[in-house]
């Protein structure tokens, strides 16, 4: 959400600047296209993170591995939210 808010603020500043200096709308549309793809990428990453964390929490619970959400998050983050690698690392460490 912070990234989306940042992008919105950046767009507002860009539009104001374009109006002030008389830049063409083509520049604005290219900028909007770039930011739209960037926002999609951020959304995809967030979805990947949420899915990885959720799967790790459920998996640890099912395998009776007593780890906190904080530890799960640290493993997921360290392994770039790659579920298979983080799962394997947790199993090796706590089994």
């Amino acid at each position: 959400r912070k990234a989306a808010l940042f992008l919105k603020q950046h767009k507002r500043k860009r539009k104001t600047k374009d109006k002030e200096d008389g830049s063409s709308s083509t520049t604005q549309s290219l900028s909007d296209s770039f930011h739209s793809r960037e926002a999609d990428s951020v959304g995809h990453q967030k979805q990947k993170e949420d899915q990885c964390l959720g799967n790790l929490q459920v998996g640890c619970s099912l395998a009776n591995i007593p780890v906190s959400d904080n530890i799960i998050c640290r493993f997921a983050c360290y392994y770039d939210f790659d579920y298979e690698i983080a799962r394997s690392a947790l199993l090796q460490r706590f089994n």
Side-chain angles (χ1 to χ4, degrees), residues 29-94:
S29 64
L30 289 174
S31 176
D32 287 346
S33 176
F34 171 77
H35 290 299
S36 176
R37 280 180 277 171
E38 188 176 340
D40 288 345
S41 176
V42 169
H44 176 72
Q45 180 64 25
K46 172 101 171 88
Q47 182 180 6
K48 177 184 173 186
E49 292 171 6
D50 290 344
Q51 188 174 20
C52 178
L53 289 171
N55 289 341
L56 289 173
Q57 288 168 337
V58 169
C60 286
S61 176
L62 291 174
N64 292 322
I65 299 174
V67 294
S68 68
D69 289 345
N70 188 348
I71 296 296
I72 290 172
C73 186
R74 288 173 185 236
F75 271 78
C77 185
Y78 183 81
Y79 292 104
D80 196 30
F81 297 94
D82 185 312
Y83 169 72
E84 291 298 326
I85 296 172
R87 180 184 64 82
S88 178
L90 277 165
L91 289 173
Q92 284 179 358
R93 174 66 174 89
F94 292 101

Side-chain angles (χ1 to χ4, degrees), residues 10-35:
H10 179 73
K11 283 183 183 180
R12 280 189 219 131
K13 289 178 184 177
R14 177 73 185 196
K15 286 180 182 178
T16 304
K17 183 179 177 184
D18 287 347
K19 287 178 184 177
E20 291 172 359
D21 68 10
S23 297
S24 70
S25 62
T26 304
T27 303
Q28 184 62 34
S29 64
L30 289 174
S31 176
D32 287 346
S33 176
F34 171 77
H35 290 299

